[in-house]
Amino acid sequence: MKLSMLGSGFIGRFYADSIQGLRSKDQVFSIYSRREESAKKFAEDYNCAHWTIDMEASIAHPEVEVVCIALPNNLHEAAVMLCCKHKKAVITTKPLGRNSAEAKRMLEAVEAAGIFHGYLEDLVYTPKFIKAEKSVREGAVGRVLWAKSRETHPGPHSDWFWDIEQAGGGCILDLGCHCVEISRSYIGKDIKPIEVMCWADTQVKPIDAEDHAIALVKYENGAIGQFEVSWTFRGGLDLRDEVMGTEGTIWINSFLRTGFEMFTTGKGGDYVAEKAESNSGWLFPVGDELNELGYNHMFADMFDAIEKGVAPKETFYDGYIVNAVLDAAYASAKSKLWEPVVLDIWRGKTGVTKDSHLVEFDTDHYLIKEEMTHYGDKKVILKHKTTGKISDRIINGK
Amino acid sequence: MKLSMLGSGFIGRFYADSIQGLRSKDQVFSIYSRREESAKKFAEDYNCAHWTIDMEASIAHPEVEVVCIALPNNLHEAAVMLCCKHKKAVITTKPLGRNSAEAKRMLEAVEAAGIFHGYLEDLVYTPKFIKAEKSVREGAVGRVLWAKSRETHPGPHSDWFWDIEQAGGGCILDLGCHCVEISRSYIGKDIKPIEVMCWADTQVKPIDAEDHAIALVKYENGAIGQFEVSWTFRGGLDLRDEVMGTEGTIWINSFLRTGFEMFTTGKGGDYVAEKAESNSGWLFPVGDELNELGYNHMFADMFDAIEKGVAPKETFYDGYIVNAVLDAAYASAKSKLWEPVVLDIWRGKTGVTKDSHLVEFDTDHYLIKEEMTHYGDKKVILKHKTTGKISDRIINGK
Amino acid sequence: MKLSMLGSGFIGRFYADSIQGLRSKDQVFSIYSRREESAKKFAEDYNCAHWTIDMEASIAHPEVEVVCIALPNNLHEAAVMLCCKHKKAVITTKPLGRNSAEAKRMLEAVEAAGIFHGYLEDLVYTPKFIKAEKSVREGAVGRVLWAKSRETHPGPHSDWFWDIEQAGGGCILDLGCHCVEISRSYIGKDIKPIEVMCWADTQVKPIDAEDHAIALVKYENGAIGQFEVSWTFRGGLDLRDEVMGTEGTIWINSFLRTGFEMFTTGKGGDYVAEKAESNSGWLFPVGDELNELGYNHMFADMFDAIEKGVAPKETFYDGYIVNAVLDAAYASAKSKLWEPVVLDIWRGKTGVTKDSHLVEFDTDHYLIKEEMTHYGDKKVILKHKTTGKISDRIINGK
Amino acid sequence: MKLSMLGSGFIGRFYADSIQGLRSKDQVFSIYSRREESAKKFAEDYNCAHWTIDMEASIAHPEVEVVCIALPNNLHEAAVMLCCKHKKAVITTKPLGRNSAEAKRMLEAVEAAGIFHGYLEDLVYTPKFIKAEKSVREGAVGRVLWAKSRETHPGPHSDWFWDIEQAGGGCILDLGCHCVEISRSYIGKDIKPIEVMCWADTQVKPIDAEDHAIALVKYENGAIGQFEVSWTFRGGLDLRDEVMGTEGTIWINSFLRTGFEMFTTGKGGDYVAEKAESNSGWLFPVGDELNELGYNHMFADMFDAIEKGVAPKETFYDGYIVNAVLDAAYASAKSKLWEPVVLDIWRGKTGVTKDSHLVEFDTDHYLIKEEMTHYGDKKVILKHKTTGKISDRIINGK
C-alpha cells in the first residue's frame, strides 16, 4: 500500500514507524508538512519518494493509494474534503472532528464520495484489547455491566494541543475519544449511548481547556461506560481498562505495568529512560510500543480492508459516534446535568431494554445469593416473590 | 479494656478476633445476641465472662468499660441511646446511621451525654492507608486533586443487608461509607464536601436497593472524591484506592493483589480457599486480614484514646459527615442532579477557594509544560499572559 | 511477659517495637547494652524499668521472665550460657550460632538446663507464610518439589555484620539462615536435608566474606531447597519465596510488591522514603513491617508457648539444623563439591525414599500428559511400560 | 523472502503465523512434512505454493530462498547438510543440536558451504529483552553480576519431546537452551562461559529424561548465569528473567503477568482459555504471543540480514556455544561436579579477569557502604586498607 502522510509531527512519525515496520510491504510514499524542513527531514528518515508543502499535491499524487491524516484536529475536515475530491481512500487520526457537527460532515462527505474511510482509534486494536473483546463476545464475563477506560499522563508533547481553538478541547477530546470507543466496544457497538454525566475542571495547567475529567455514559441496555482522563497525572502514561460482567472481570494495564520492571541508580552510564518521568529509580518500560498501543494491528486491518474492498473495524461512523458522546460530555460538564447523546445518524439497535435477571429459586422465591458458610454448609439468601421478604436457608447441612 | 459486644454475627466475630488477638490485653467481657444460642456460642468461642439476650443488661454490666455495636444498621441508634443512658463509652460499626438524620441524633446524644464515641471505619486504619496518608500530609504527592476508593464484591453474607428496611440502603450505604471516608481523609478532613453526583442501579440482584453505584464528591477546594461500589463484582473482594496529586500518585490494593499468589489444580487435597470465588486456579489470599483491613490499628486507636481521655481519629462526627455525603448520593441517584451535601454541623474550614496554580515563566508568559525532546533538548510550552497565545521554545539546544 | 532485651541496636529496637506494639500485655523490663548511653536511650524510648551494661545483671533480674538475645552473632553463646545458669527462658535472634558447633553447644546447654528456648526466625511467622504453609499442609500444591527463598538487599546497617570475626560469615549466614528455614518448612521439617551445593563470591564489596551466594539443598525425599542471598542487590529489600508442587505453585513477595505503589517527583515537600534506595520516582512501601516480617506472630507464638509450657514452632533445634545446612554451604562454596549436611542430632524421619509417581493409563501404558488439542480433542501422551516407547493418542475425537 | 518450511507441527505453524503475519512481504513457499496429510493441510492453511514429503525437494526448489528447520532435534543435522549441498540460506529452531558435537559439525558445514545461517533463539528477540539488553549495554544496571532465566511449564505438546532418543534430552535441552542464551546475552556474548554446576532430576514424569533442573554457569569475568527449567510446573507457562548489576536490577515477566488479568466463572458461554491450565477463575492471557515471544523481531532480523548480506544477531556459532554449555550441564548433573564448558571454537575475549571494585574513601580506608541513619545523618562503613578493620563514621551530624 502506498500512502500519503499528512503531517510530520509526533503522531505522523509513530504511524510511519508502524506502517513501515518489521518486514512490511507498505510504505509512506508522499509526506506533506506545513514546513519544508520538516517534510524533507521526514522524507529522508522514512525514505519517502515524494515530499511537499502543498497538501492537495500529496493527496492527488497518482501513486498515492491511501491518505493518512496526522494533522491537528482543526485541519481534519479540510483534508478529508480533499480526499473526497480526489476519490482517495482516507484514514484519519483521532478524534475524527472537534465536535460531532464536523464529524458528521466528514462522514456524509466520504459516504457521498464513495471512498474508503477508516478511523484510527488504535486502542481498540491493541493485542490485549483484541483478545479481551473476543473473550467478552464469547461470553467469558457474561453480560457487561460496566466498562471503564482510563488514560492519563502529564500532558501532550505538541503545542497545538494546548490551544483550544486548534485542538477543539482539552483532555476530554484528546484522551476521552479513546476511552469512549473502548467502553463502547466492550458494551457492544450496536448498543446506543443515551446520556452522559461529566465532571471536568482545569485543576493545574494555566489553560482554558479542561485538564482533568471523569464521565459516565449510559447505554440503552443499562450498561455504564466510564472515562477518566487527565493531563495532570504524575508517573508516566497510565492506560488501563476495567470491565465488570455478570460472570467475570477484565483488568488491562497497557503501559505502566506490563511485566518489565527495572531499577537503576542512574550512575551506571548515560542511560536515558523514554517516556518515564525520571531516569532513575524503578522504571516500567513497555517492550514494543507500536504493537502494544495497537498501531500494527490497526494499520493491518485498514490496509487489508482496502485490499478486500470491505469496511474496516473502525470507520468515520464510529468516529462520529465518539464525537457525539464527547459533545454530550462537554455539555454536561457545563450544565451539570445528564445530557442526551444527540445522534442524527444511528445504525445500531434501538429500543433495547434492560433484561430481567431474576433468578428463580422455587415457586415462591427468587435467589439472591448462594454461598458456603464457615461450617461447610451451603447457604442461600432468598427473596419472596410477592412479599419481597428476605430470608436465608441452609441447604445441605452435614 | 473490657467490652460489651452487641451482635454475634460475622462482623462481631471479626471484631472479637482482632480485639482478643495476638498478646492483647483487651477482652470481650459480655456478649449480647438476639438469639440465645448465638450468644452462648460466641461466649464459648471467645471465652466471654457474660452473655445475654438483653441488650441493656450487657451495656449496663458494671464490668463493661466500652460498648462495641456490631448490629444491623437499623439498631444502631437504640443501642447508642442506651450507652448514653448508662454513660458507657461507645464504638459503632459503619455506617453510623442509615441516614444523616439518625447519625446527627446519635452525635448529639453522645456529646450531650459526654461519653467517649468512636466510629469504626476500619479502612482508614489499614497499615497501607496510615502510611499513605502520612506521605500525603508530608507533601509526597503535592496538592491532592482526586482521591478514588473502590470496594466491590459479590454481595454481603448476612440476610439483613439485602433488606432495605433494616439496612437502609444497598451497596452505597454498605460500601460507599468506607470509600467516602477514605477519599475525605486523603483530601483533608477539614475540607468541606460540597456536592455529589451519583449514578446507581440495580443491575443484577432481585432486590429493591442498588447493587452498583458510582459517585463524584466535590470538595470546597476543587478536589474530587470518587467512589465505585458494587455487590455484583466477580473475582473476590476488590478493594483499591487511587490518589492523584500535583506531584505524585498513590495506588493501593488491599485485597486481591497483595504479593501472595497461589495456583492449585484443586486435586491435591481437601484444600478450601477462603473468600475466593473458587477453590482452584490462581488464587490471591491475603496474609492477615485482621491487620490488612485495619481492625488492629483501629481498636488500638480507640482503646488508647479512651485510656488517654482524648478523641480517637474517627468519631461520631466523622460518621455523621459520611452519612451526609451518602444522603446526597442517594438524592442525586434519584434526581440525576448534583445534590448539595447538607451539613447542619460542620467543624472544619469554610470559604476555602481553589488555589491559583499559574507557574510564572517570564514577565510575559506562564509555563504550561517542560519536557525533553527526542534530540535531548529542553522544550517549554508557554502561554502568553495577556493574549493567551500558546507557543513552544527550545531552551538549551546543543 | 516481662523481658530482658540483650542488645539495643537495630534489631533490638525492631523487636521491642513488636513486643510492646498495639495493645500488647508484654513489655521489655530490662535493657542491656554494651554502651551506657545506648542502654539509657533505649530504656527511655521503650519505657523500660531497668537498664544496665552488665549482661548478667539483666538476665538475672528477678522480674525478668524471658531473655531476648539481640546481639551480634559472636555473643550468642555466652548469653545463652548465662540464661542456662539463671534458668531463664531464652529466645535468640537468627542465626543461632556462627556455625553448627556453636549451635549444638547452645542446644545441648538449654536442654540440659531444662529451660524454654525459642529461635527467632521471623520469616516463617509472616502472615503470608503461615497461610501458605497451611495450604501446603492441606495439599493445595500436592507434593512439594522445590522451595526457593530469596533475600537480597544492598547490605546490612551495622558495622559488625561486615566483620567476619564477629559475624561468622557474610550474606550466607546473615540471610541464608532465613531462606533455609523457609524452604525446609515448606518441604517438611521432618524431612532430612542431605547435601548442599553452593556458589559464593565477593563480587562487589571490599570485604573478606561473601556478598552473593546461591545454593541448592537436597532433601532425603528428593525435594530441592534453594536460596539466593546477596548484599549487592539494588532497588531495596527483595524478599520472595517460590514453591513448586505436583498440583500447584506458590509465589510470595514480602516486600517490594505488596500492593502499595507511590510515585513522587520529590518536589512536594520534605518527604523521606524509608528503606527505599531513593526518595523519588516509583516507591513500594510496606504497610506494616512488624507484621509483614512476622515479628508479631513470632513473639505471640513464643510467649503463648511459655505460658502454656509447650515448645514454640521454632526452637534451638531448628536453629541448629539451619546452622548445619549453612556449614555445608560454606564447605561446598570452598570445595566446589556437593557437601553432606552433618547432623549429629536429628529428630525427624530417616530412610525416606522418593515416591514412585508413575500414573497408570492402561495395562500396558503409563500416562505422561493429557491435553486439549487446538481442535478440542483430548490427547494423551503415553509410555509403554516395558518397551518405554512414547506414543500419543486422541481420546475423544468429535 | 520465499521460504521452505521443514516441519508442519506446532512450532512450524507458530513460525508461519509470524512469517506471514501482519502486512508481511514474506511467505512460506514450500512445506515439507513427513506425512502427506499434514503437508497438504499446512499448505492449505498457509496458502503455500508447494508441498512435499521429500525434504530435499523442498530445500532444492528453485524458488526457495531460505530454509527454515522446524523439525525434531534429531533431524536438524541431516536437514542442515542438505541446505549446504544446495547452498540455501538456513535458519534452525532451537536447540541447534542434541549436543555440541552435532552443533559443531553443523557450524563447520555451513561455514564451509558459505551459506547464511541463523539460529532461531526467539527469546533474545522479545521486545522486552531487546529493550532490556539495550539498557544493560548503555550501563543502566552497571556491571552485570548475575543473570537468571526461568522457563517452566507442565510439559511439551508433541510426543517426540518425551522420547530421549529423538529429543536428545529433557527439559534442560528443550528449555535450558533459551535460558543459557538469555543469560549469556545479558552478561556479554564475548565473555567466555567457563564451568557449570547442574542439578537435574526426574521428579514427576514417567520418563528417562530430566523433568526439572537448575544450573549455575560461571563466566570468565566472575558473572553468574542461572537457569531454572521444568516440565512439571503448574499454572501455565512461567517465563521470567532477572538480572542483578552493581547499579541496577531487571525483572521481566514474559507470560503469566503481562498486564492482562481476567476472572471468569466459566458459566458465561463456551469460552475456552488458551494455554491456561483451566478455563475459569483468574486467567492471565498474553495479548500477542507471536510478538511477545520474539518471533516477529527474530524473523525480521534474519530476513533483513539475508537481504543485507550480513550475519544475524544469532548464528549457528551461538547455537554451538549454547550446546556446549548444556553438555557441561548434563555432565555436571551426572558427576555432581562443576564441569568445564568445552569450547573447541571460541571467538570472544579470553583471559578476562574480575575487575577490582574497591572504592577509595580516603588514604587509609575503602568505603563499604554509605547510608542515611534514622536521625537523618549520613553514616559510612569503612574498611582499613592494611588492617582490614571495619568501622563506621557519622559524616554530617546536624
Side-chain angles (χ1 to χ4, degrees), chain D residues 211-263:
Chain D
D211 60 15
H212 194 176
I214 297 168
L216 298 175
V217 181
K218 200 180 295 174
Y219 285 78
E220 204 177 22
N221 66 351
I224 285 288
Q226 181 176 334
F227 68 71
E228 295 173 7
V229 294
S230 180
W231 284 347
T232 67
F233 178 77
R234 305 312 302 258
L237 169 56
D238 186 24
L239 214 50
R240 283 179 288 160
D241 304 329
E242 298 187 18
V243 182
M244 274 172 63
T246 49
E247 300 296 334
T249 294
I250 290 172
W251 291 342
I252 288 183
N253 193 322
S254 295
F255 222 82
L256 280 172
R257 297 292 183 275
T258 61
F260 187 173
E261 317 185 15
M262 181 160 66
F263 178 86

Side-chain angles (χ1 to χ4, degrees), chain C residues 183-242:
Chain C
S183 294
R184 183 182 164 238
S185 297
Y186 277 121
I187 290 167
K189 285 170 71 173
D190 54 348
I191 305 299
K192 199 170 182 179
I194 298 300
E195 52 180 357
V196 179
M197 164 52 63
C198 181
W199 163 84
D201 199 358
T202 311
Q203 289 183 312
V204 176
K205 303 289 181 182
I207 56 173
D208 301 318
E210 73 285 354
D211 60 16
H212 194 175
I214 297 168
L216 298 174
V217 181
K218 200 179 295 173
Y219 286 78
E220 204 175 23
N221 67 351
I224 285 287
Q226 182 176 333
F227 66 71
E228 295 173 8
V229 293
S230 179
W231 283 347
T232 68
F233 178 77
R234 304 312 301 260
L237 170 55
D238 186 24
L239 214 50
R240 282 179 289 159
D241 304 329
E242 297 187 19

Side-chain angles (χ1 to χ4, degrees), chain D residues 109-127:
Chain D
V110 293
E111 294 190 337
I115 58 174
F116 177 96
H117 49 102
Y119 174 54
L120 299 178
E121 174 41 67
D122 57 292
L123 293 182
V124 298
Y125 286 102
T126 71

Side-chain angles (χ1 to χ4, degrees), chain B residues 120-188:
Chain B
L120 299 178
E121 175 41 68
D122 56 293
L123 293 183
V124 297
Y125 285 103
T126 72
K128 286 172 184 164
F129 181 87
I130 288 171
K131 199 173 272 189
E133 192 193 22
K134 184 167 174 290
S135 301
V136 169
R137 293 288 91 80
E138 290 170 358
V141 304
R143 178 168 52 105
V144 173
L145 303 170
W146 173 72
K148 182 181 80 169
S149 180
R150 174 178 176 85
E151 180 164 0
T152 64
H153 59 56
H157 302 278
S158 304
D159 53 357
W160 68 264
F161 279 97
W162 304 97
D163 176 350
I164 202 165
E165 174 52 29
Q166 289 184 69
C171 61
I172 291 180
L173 202 61
D174 180 28
L175 307 177
C177 61
H178 291 301
C179 302
V180 165
E181 191 63 354
I182 289 171
S183 294
R184 182 180 165 241
S185 297
Y186 278 121
I187 290 168

Side-chain angles (χ1 to χ4, degrees), chain C residues 64-111:
Chain C
V64 164
E65 294 168 284
V66 51
V67 177
C68 181
I69 301 175
L71 298 166
N73 299 345
N74 59 327
L75 305 178
H76 291 192
E77 188 174 359
V80 166
M81 294 309 160
L82 287 173
C83 293
C84 291
K85 178 179 165 190
H86 294 283
K87 302 286 182 195
K88 289 287 170 83
V90 59
I91 57 182
T92 312
T93 193
K94 58 86 217 170
L96 180 54
R98 284 175 294 179
N99 50 57
S100 70
E102 271 189 17
K104 189 180 166 195
R105 286 197 299 269
M106 287 187 255
L107 170 59
E108 290 175 334
V110 293
E111 294 191 337

Side-chain angles (χ1 to χ4, degrees), chain D residues 49-197:
Chain D
H50 179 254
W51 65 264
T52 175
I53 57 169
D54 173 356
M55 194 193 293
E56 190 163 2
S58 183
I59 293 168
H61 195 291
E63 298 237 31
V64 164
E65 295 169 282
V66 52
V67 177
C68 180
I69 300 175
L71 298 166
N73 300 344
N74 58 327
L75 304 178
H76 291 192
E77 188 173 2
V80 166
M81 296 307 161
L82 287 173
C83 293
C84 291
K85 180 179 164 189
H86 294 283
K87 303 285 182 197
K88 289 288 171 80
V90 60
I91 55 181
T92 312
T93 193
K94 57 85 215 170
L96 180 54
R98 284 174 295 179
N99 50 57
S100 70
E102 271 189 16
K104 190 181 167 195
R105 287 197 299 270
M106 287 188 256
L107 170 58
E108 290 174 336
V110 293
E111 294 190 337
I115 58 174
F116 177 96
H117 49 102
Y119 174 54
L120 299 178
E121 174 41 67
D122 57 292
L123 293 182
V124 298
Y125 286 102
T126 71
K128 284 172 186 166
F129 181 87
I130 289 171
K131 199 172 270 188
E133 191 192 22
K134 182 167 175 291
S135 301
V136 168
R137 293 287 90 83
E138 290 170 357
V141 305
R143 179 169 50 106
V144 173
L145 303 170
W146 172 73
K148 182 182 80 169
S149 181
R150 173 178 176 85
E151 180 164 0
T152 63
H153 58 56
H157 302 279
S158 303
D159 53 357
W160 68 263
F161 278 98
W162 303 97
D163 176 350
I164 200 165
E165 174 52 29
Q166 289 184 70
C171 62
I172 291 179
L173 202 61
D174 180 30
L175 307 177
C177 61
H178 290 302
C179 302
V180 165
E181 192 62 354
I182 288 170
S183 294
R184 183 181 163 238
S185 298
Y186 278 121
I187 290 167
K189 286 170 69 171
D190 54 347
I191 305 300
K192 200 169 181 179
I194 298 300
E195 55 179 356
V196 180
M197 164 50 64

Side-chain angles (χ1 to χ4, degrees), chain D residues 270-284:
Chain D
D270 55 357
Y271 172 72
V272 178
E274 337 154 18
K275 291 221 169 183
E277 288 207 77
S278 68
N279 286 334
S280 64
W282 281 102
L283 307 173
F284 299 88

Side-chain angles (χ1 to χ4, degrees), chain A residues 72-206:
Chain A
N73 300 343
N74 59 327
L75 305 178
H76 291 194
E77 188 173 0
V80 166
M81 295 307 161
L82 287 172
C83 293
C84 291
K85 177 179 166 190
H86 294 282
K87 302 286 182 196
K88 289 288 171 82
V90 60
I91 56 181
T92 312
T93 194
K94 57 87 215 170
L96 181 53
R98 285 175 294 180
N99 50 59
S100 69
E102 270 189 16
K104 190 182 168 195
R105 287 196 300 269
M106 288 188 254
L107 171 58
E108 289 174 336
V110 293
E111 292 190 339
I115 58 175
F116 177 96
H117 49 100
Y119 174 54
L120 299 179
E121 174 41 68
D122 57 292
L123 294 183
V124 297
Y125 285 102
T126 72
K128 285 173 186 165
F129 181 86
I130 289 171
K131 198 172 269 188
E133 191 193 23
K134 184 167 174 289
S135 301
V136 168
R137 294 286 91 81
E138 289 171 359
V141 305
R143 179 168 52 105
V144 173
L145 302 171
W146 173 72
K148 181 182 80 170
S149 181
R150 173 177 177 85
E151 180 165 359
T152 64
H153 58 56
H157 302 277
S158 304
D159 54 357
W160 68 262
F161 278 97
W162 302 97
D163 175 350
I164 201 164
E165 173 53 28
Q166 289 184 71
C171 61
I172 290 179
L173 202 61
D174 179 30
L175 307 177
C177 61
H178 291 301
C179 302
V180 165
E181 191 63 354
I182 288 171
S183 295
R184 182 181 164 240
S185 298
Y186 278 121
I187 289 166
K189 286 169 68 171
D190 55 347
I191 305 299
K192 199 170 181 178
I194 298 301
E195 54 180 356
V196 180
M197 165 51 63
C198 180
W199 163 84
D201 198 358
T202 311
Q203 288 184 312
V204 176
K205 305 287 180 183

